[in-house]
Amino acid sequence: MPGARIAAVLLPLTLALAGCASSGPAAEPSPPKAAEPADSPALTVDPAGTVVPLDPDAEGMVFDPVTGLLAVAVRDPDRLLPTDRDGTTVREVPLPGHARHLQLAAPGGPVLVPAEDANALVEVALPGGETTQTAVGSYPHDAAQVAGGQVLVGDEKGGTLSVVDAGRVTRTFTSQQQPGGVAVVGDTAGVVDVGAFTLTSYDVAAGELLDVVDAGAGPTHLVTDSRGRFLVADTRGDAVLTFSADPLEQVAELPLPGTPYGLAYDATDQVLWVTLTATNEVVGLSTAGDELTEVARLPTVRQPNTVAVDPSSGRVFVGSRATGELQLVDPR
């Protein structure tokens, strides 16, 4: 019996040691994925300004100062809604796929609409809504037009950049892992790689990659300011990063807790508007100095993934991806 008791004690130990011997080295941790907006909490305070109903999944907005129209991308079905300054829809433009980001090719339009699941760039004329469609790479996420007239499209799932000129793709860059936000200074385009966490500059007209720099812990979107700088939302890093364009280098960082995501720039007031998706807020940051400074903070609708601004009046528009509502705020 004593021998049986000893065997009973040794058997589990032997099995445990055998399991340890066969387990091998620990698996390498998976690299972090692209940063995403926070899942916004329920509202605890009323949004500032006025809130009007719009349509489901409002995400992607741009304001045109020439026609006075706000263009908003919605889903179910996929459409572009040009609205007036008070959020009243003036027409509906069917889209072949959904969009998350909109830009103007130039004041007066057209609106550049990357239709993600249609692998197409749609250009929507203002105010009439006529469309032109160009096939691009896989899952176009953002697009911007450089001074020479070419449109650079970031094909997020394809890892490419498509250069569209006069309705056709004339060049493809293959230097990105997962392109996200796109913005331009003259003929120079800046592209955030949301997979590699970098900012890359390109001379689009010349077809050249200029430089690549690190861009925080999880950058998503960027705009340019009136001083020719790139302003990047480091969504995972809870900060806004400032980069000079030539040379491309980071020159400032402003901590901004709350998962910053949507960006819009008011060139008249020199104010960058940033949505904080973890706290349901929009923050105004002055770009007049070498470093950004906070000048406004307002409560928003839930899930404020997108923002736009009217530079003539200063009116700020915030779209709710959760409720399909549009918020109108006059901070001046």
Side-chain angles (χ1 to χ4, degrees):
M1 292 300 293
R5 286 196 297 270
I6 293 172
V9 171
L10 290 177
L11 180 59
L13 179 60
T14 302
L15 292 175
L17 290 173
C20 291
S22 62
S23 63
E28 290 290 330
S30 299
K33 297 181 179 180
E36 297 289 349
D39 185 7
S40 300
L43 299 184
T44 57
V45 296
D46 292 334
T50 303
V51 177
V52 298
L54 195 60
D55 257 307
D57 295 325
E59 184 173 17
M61 298 193 305
V62 67
F63 184 86
D64 175 39
V66 173
T67 61
L69 294 175
L70 174 74
V72 187
V74 297
R75 306 186 187 190
D76 299 325
D78 298 320
R79 289 157 293 147
L80 185 73
L81 303 182
T83 79
D84 64 18
R85 285 182 171 89
D86 295 322
T88 301
T89 300
V90 298
R91 67 177 38 83
E92 297 189 4
V93 180
L95 296 175
H98 61 247
R100 284 184 290 168
H101 296 282
L102 307 177
Q103 295 199 44
L104 291 173
V111 181
L112 304 177
V113 185
E116 292 182 322
D117 49 343
N119 298 334
L121 172 69
V122 183
E123 298 180 53
V124 181
L126 296 176
E130 300 83 3
T131 62
T132 301
Q133 185 170 320
T134 304
V136 292
S138 178
Y139 218 73
H141 179 78
D142 202 358
Q145 180 170 292
V146 298
Q150 302 96 336
V151 176
L152 187 68
V153 183
D155 309 315
E156 183 178 7
K157 291 187 178 180
T160 59
L161 301 170
S162 299
V163 178
V164 176
D165 194 358
R168 64 187 185 94
V169 175
T170 59
R171 187 187 303 273
T172 301
F173 292 98
T174 58
S175 46
Q176 292 281 306
Q177 177 178 320
Q178 189 178 353
V182 181
V184 300
V185 177
D187 274 325
T188 300
V191 181
V192 166
D193 191 322
V194 301
F197 314 144
T198 58
L199 174 63
T200 306
S201 58
Y202 295 86
D203 184 331
V204 176
E208 296 179 359
L209 186 157
L210 300 176
D211 210 347
V212 184
V213 294
D214 291 334
T220 52
H221 306 127
L222 78 161
V223 297
T224 55
D225 68 4
S226 55
R227 302 177 66 182
R229 302 178 298 185
F230 293 113
L231 309 175
V232 176
D234 184 2
T235 297
R236 183 178 289 123
D238 277 340
V240 174
L241 312 180
T242 303
F243 295 82
S244 60
D246 184 19
L248 184 66
E249 61 182 8
Q250 184 177 331
V251 295
E253 175 178 351
L254 177 70
L256 197 62
T259 317
Y261 192 67
L263 302 177
Y265 186 65
D266 180 349
T268 301
D269 288 344
Q270 297 187 69
V271 172
L272 172 70
W273 291 97
V274 186
T275 66
L276 302 181
T277 53
T279 58
N280 295 317
E281 293 177 299
V282 64
V283 176
L285 304 175
S286 172
T287 67
D290 292 338
E291 296 191 1
L292 308 186
T293 56
E294 184 174 325
V295 294
R297 182 177 291 256
L298 303 165
T300 67
V301 288
R302 183 169 175 260
Q303 202 63 57
N305 285 11
T306 188
V307 59
V309 63
D310 172 4
S312 62
S313 68
R315 173 166 285 187
V316 177
F317 306 88
V318 181
S320 169
R321 178 69 190 272
T323 66
E325 294 173 313
L326 179 66
Q327 179 180 2
L328 318 173
V329 187
D330 295 307
R332 284 183 186 169

